[in-house]
Amino acid sequence: MTTSYERLDNIRAIVARHRGLGSALLAAGVGAALAVVLFSSTGSDDCYITYWSAWSLAEYGEIANYNGVRVEQSSSLLHTVVLALLRVATGGSLPSLAYALGIACFVICVVRLKRLADVAGLEATPLLFLFASTSPLFAYWSLSGLDAPLFAWLLLEVTIAFVKSLEHDVSPWTVGVIVPQVAFVLCRPESFLVSASTLVGVAVVLVTLRLTTARDLVLRRPLRRCAELLLLNAVVFALLALFRWHYFGALAPQTVSAKVSLSWATVFDGALYLQSQLDRAHTVVLVAAFVASLAIAVRKRSTPALGDWVPPLLAGAYLGFIVTAGGDWMINGRFVAHVAPLLVYLVLRVLSALAAGRALVARGVLVGLVAINVLALVTLSMRSSYGRPIWSAWQVDDAIQSHAGGLTYAWHERANTVHARDILLLSELTGIVDDLIRRNGEAVVLSGQAGMVFFNLAKRYRGKLEVVDRRGLSTQHLMRVKDRAGLRTTSGGLRVSVRRYFDLSRRHPQALPRPDVVFDIGPRNKDAAAEGGYACAYEQTGHFLSTLRVRTPGRGHRPAKHRWYRQRRPLYQFIATRSDAPPPAKPGKCRRVLKWEHALRRQLKRD
């Protein structure tokens, strides 16, 4: 029979649990709000590659690329399926659904840190939640519409599952352990390698400790758990590979084939990438926590606890993947953001060991770390962000909408400088493609920008338009001749310029069609198109400033750089159409040129 004291203790436990949940939610809300204020919307146009896969699944019942061919152009199968389900359930815009999903996963990550701390027997304080929610790279990429926050959340869930199974002897065949691992493997191509190498690492640690310091360590049960978890991951991975082979005719997404090649040069590039992302104050703290957590686990080698080993081994496995994959081309450490919440947990692990019994010291350290994070967030928004601060986004929003050609885009698309650049181009390109399809019934478009523009063109002209991705991420044209032509893979896809594509198309006319329209970035690509017999139809020049300082009316309403926010993002793009005339000796002028600074100045005058 439960006594009144026991009931009181139960009530206190429930209140304490919900108090921790409330502080986690509050901290996550503060971090998300701060990120939206400073960045509005982040990420490159690659997110639209996944959006199209989700759109195709939701609208047409199959995962296909822009040309309607069963090609897995997205790196995240789970992200594709989740977005498609949200689209079917709500009927909402995919970019807006992905934006909201990223923020939701960001909040869940912060909240689930409490669960990981509880499983490990640690106390997660409100300051830790605030430290996690202000982690600069994680907060930045949570507004990108990419799968970064979803993967980071699932990495935490897998860590919890591994600790429960290995440390607390929970069966690997329970729903709470199986579901996170299945979702994790489905999320990204590297997931199985990360989890498998972690489990192998745990087994090696166990055997090493038994042979050296912990001779009384019982190996049978933990090694059996490792084997069961590894078997579960292997079965899920094998079933996924069979599905991909049956459905797509390939064992991995096309982005893997176009980006990854195993070589020492790739490893060197990956090491340089990781070094460039981990040499800032806010990331140095995370790296120090990773190293210190391993040192703490080694120090307790006579009485080892697997809960001390699993998180740093998982983090180390993913950092190792980053190196062997050659890093990533996107700014602000997208791959590091995947593992940032787990590294935040390691900070708690280290503080709990080093400041045991000295709560005031731990609290002071966390206050300092939160201050570093907030300063880094502000610096990031000033110097290296695709998004504008929210107080600045409105300054150019009317000008962007006035040049959108009557097409509608969400505010977070207009606030992102990369997406806004493509919005300006789409207003011209849709008219050109409209005219081509009206005359010829079909059109072929070539570009190295396979995101937002391709996504909107494919929605508008499905079945009448063939797009050619010169980086090989979303279409198969160049992948068919990759080996014969000796094409090199990079972290951004195949290294094929417009000039190289024209040369290859002459040698492989059956595989590489001659495009009717070329649009791309870079004046060199424009010159190459002119040399290939294409006339420039449109060109946009200038820069997007992250924040404007509008001068007084007496000085002409001229937009100028802000005192602190001095970042400039080039918006150069061109459209060239196929011409039957001989190529000119020198590239000619474009039929229409948009000079952004002039257009913005006119808009500011009207306002």
Side-chain angles (χ1 to χ4, degrees):
M1 185 173 179
T2 305
T3 65
S4 59
Y5 292 105
E6 290 174 336
R7 284 197 297 270
L8 184 60
D9 289 340
N10 291 336
I11 292 172
R12 286 173 176 169
I14 293 172
V15 170
R17 184 164 60 249
H18 286 285
R19 185 187 299 124
L21 179 61
S23 61
L25 286 171
L26 179 61
V30 170
L34 184 60
V36 171
V37 167
L38 291 175
F39 304 120
S40 293
S41 169
T42 61
S44 69
D45 66 341
D46 277 33
C47 57
Y48 287 86
I49 296 177
T50 297
Y51 297 170
W52 176 259
S53 296
W55 175 272
S56 178
L57 180 58
E59 299 297 320
Y60 312 121
E62 66 173 354
I63 302 175
N65 71 352
Y66 294 120
N67 295 326
V69 181
R70 285 190 174 183
V71 171
E72 191 178 3
Q73 65 179 42
S74 171
S75 296
S76 178
L77 184 59
L78 181 66
H79 196 217
T80 297
V81 173
V82 170
L83 287 177
L85 290 174
L86 289 174
R87 165 71 185 175
V88 171
T90 66
S93 161
L94 271 174
S96 297
L97 291 172
Y99 185 77
L101 177 64
I103 295 176
C105 290
F106 171 84
V107 172
I108 292 172
C109 261
V110 177
V111 171
R112 293 301 285 174
L113 276 172
K114 181 182 185 304
R115 177 58 181 159
L116 178 56
D118 290 343
V119 169
L122 304 176
E123 182 182 358
T125 64
L127 279 173
L128 178 82
F129 299 136
L130 193 59
F131 174 57
S133 67
T134 55
S135 178
L137 302 186
F138 180 51
Y140 178 88
W141 284 105
S142 294
L143 303 178
S144 66
L146 289 164
D147 60 348
L150 175 63
F151 183 83
W153 168 31
L154 293 176
L155 186 60
L156 287 182
E157 296 295 343
V158 166
T159 307
I160 294 170
F162 282 2
V163 171
K164 285 166 60 178
S165 185
L166 295 171
E167 178 75 10
H168 302 292
D169 202 27
V170 175
S171 171
W173 308 109
T174 57
V175 174
V177 178
I178 292 176
V179 171
Q181 292 180 84
V182 172
F184 184 65
V185 173
L186 289 175
C187 192
R188 288 192 59 85
E190 68 268 19
S191 299
F192 170 71
L193 296 177
V194 171
S195 56
S197 57
T198 299
L199 293 169
V200 171
V202 169
V204 170
V205 166
L206 286 170
V207 173
T208 303
L209 291 176
R210 172 65 183 272
L211 294 175
T212 54
T213 56
R215 296 188 177 276
D216 295 332
L217 182 64
V218 178
L219 293 181
R220 183 176 179 180
R221 185 173 292 275
L223 286 180
R224 179 183 174 185
R225 290 288 185 238
C226 281
E228 289 176 322
L229 291 169
L230 187 58
L231 175 63
L232 174 59
N233 277 269
V235 168
V236 175
F237 179 73
L239 291 175
L240 179 59
L242 288 174
F243 165 76
R244 282 184 164 132
W245 182 259
H246 172 74
Y247 196 87
F248 301 109
L251 294 175
Q254 181 150 312
T255 49
V256 175
S257 304
K259 288 183 176 183
V260 178
S261 63
L262 297 178
S263 66
W264 288 113
T266 301
V267 172
F268 182 71
D269 290 342
L272 288 179
Y273 167 83
L274 196 60
Q275 182 272 330
S276 69
Q277 301 301 325
L278 298 180
D279 62 355
R280 312 168 194 181
H282 59 93
T283 50
V284 166
V285 170
L286 301 180
V287 174
F290 167 67
V291 175
S293 63
L294 285 174
I296 290 170
V298 171
R299 187 179 179 184
K300 296 168 62 177
R301 58 187 179 275
S302 58
T303 56
L306 292 180
D308 294 337
W309 283 100
V310 169
L313 287 178
L314 262 172
Y318 198 79
L319 295 176
F321 157 76
I322 294 174
V323 173
T324 55
D328 185 42
W329 68 272
M330 298 185 194
I331 63 173
N332 296 334
R334 175 175 68 116
F335 278 178
V336 178
H338 290 168
V339 76
L342 184 56
L343 293 175
V344 167
Y345 164 77
L346 295 182
V347 171
L348 172 63
R349 173 89 265 174
V350 172
L351 283 177
S352 299
L354 299 183
R358 290 172 286 184
L360 190 60
V361 173
R363 194 175 299 123
V365 171
L366 281 174
V367 168
L369 294 180
V370 170
I372 290 173
N373 276 356
V374 172
L375 180 62
L377 279 169
V378 175
T379 304
L380 208 63
S381 72
M382 287 192 218
R383 300 180 181 176
S384 179
S385 171
Y386 287 141
R388 291 189 179 91
I390 200 166
W391 64 84
S392 170
W394 65 268
Q395 292 177 304
V396 296
D397 193 54
D398 288 343
I400 291 172
Q401 291 195 70
S402 67
H403 287 81
L407 303 175
T408 304
Y409 303 94
W411 75 269
H412 55 85
E413 294 177 288
R414 303 192 302 270
N416 182 296
T417 55
V418 176
H419 302 337
R421 177 201 69 187
D422 291 341
I423 288 172
L424 301 181
L425 182 96
L426 272 164
S427 65
E428 296 292 328
L429 185 58
T430 50
I432 293 172
V433 176
D434 271 341
D435 183 59
L436 278 170
I437 291 178
R438 188 165 48 248
R439 287 188 286 112
N440 305 328
E442 60 183 8
V444 179
V445 177
L446 168 71
S447 182
Q449 307 301 302
M452 185 181 194
V453 178
F454 275 6
F455 174 78
N456 283 278
L457 290 178
K459 283 176 62 178
R460 188 180 181 101
Y461 308 108
R462 182 175 182 265
K464 299 177 182 179
L465 180 73
E466 181 180 2
V467 299
V468 181
D469 178 6
R470 65 176 176 83
R471 294 191 176 275
L473 299 176
S474 60
T475 63
Q476 293 180 307
H477 303 89
L478 285 161
M479 297 301 293
R480 296 191 190 109
V481 300
K482 175 186 171 186
D483 295 331
R484 283 181 287 164
L487 302 182
R488 182 184 171 189
T489 59
T490 69
S491 60
L494 298 179
R495 180 169 289 180
V496 178
S497 64
V498 170
R499 183 175 281 106
R500 181 80 188 280
Y501 179 84
F502 288 149
D503 179 58
L504 291 171
S505 67
R506 286 189 288 269
R507 286 189 280 162
H508 308 282
Q510 300 299 320
L512 304 178
R514 189 182 181 197
D516 299 302
V517 180
V518 178
F519 77 88
D520 223 307
I521 59 175
R524 289 185 180 180
N525 286 326
K526 175 195 163 190
D527 295 344
E531 293 167 8
Y534 289 76
C536 184
Y538 171 79
E539 183 180 36
Q540 59 189 42
T541 63
H543 295 80
F544 282 134
L545 304 178
S546 59
T547 296
L548 300 182
R549 177 172 55 85
V550 182
R551 295 177 180 172
T552 59
R555 302 178 73 175
H557 286 77
R558 294 179 63 85
K561 291 181 182 178
H562 192 273
R563 182 178 179 181
W564 297 299
Y565 283 79
R566 305 177 67 84
Q567 185 182 177
R568 290 159 56 92
R569 289 282 171 199
L571 55 83
Y572 182 88
Q573 284 196 103
F574 71 91
I575 304 170
T577 56
R578 185 170 174 176
S579 172
D580 294 329
K586 292 184 178 180
K589 293 183 178 179
C590 292
R591 290 196 293 269
R592 184 173 186 278
V593 177
L594 172 65
K595 296 182 179 179
W596 175 247
E597 280 79 4
H598 293 175
L600 182 58
R601 183 180 177 183
R602 288 194 297 270
Q603 184 68 42
L604 291 173
K605 276 187 176 182
R606 286 195 295 268
D607 294 343

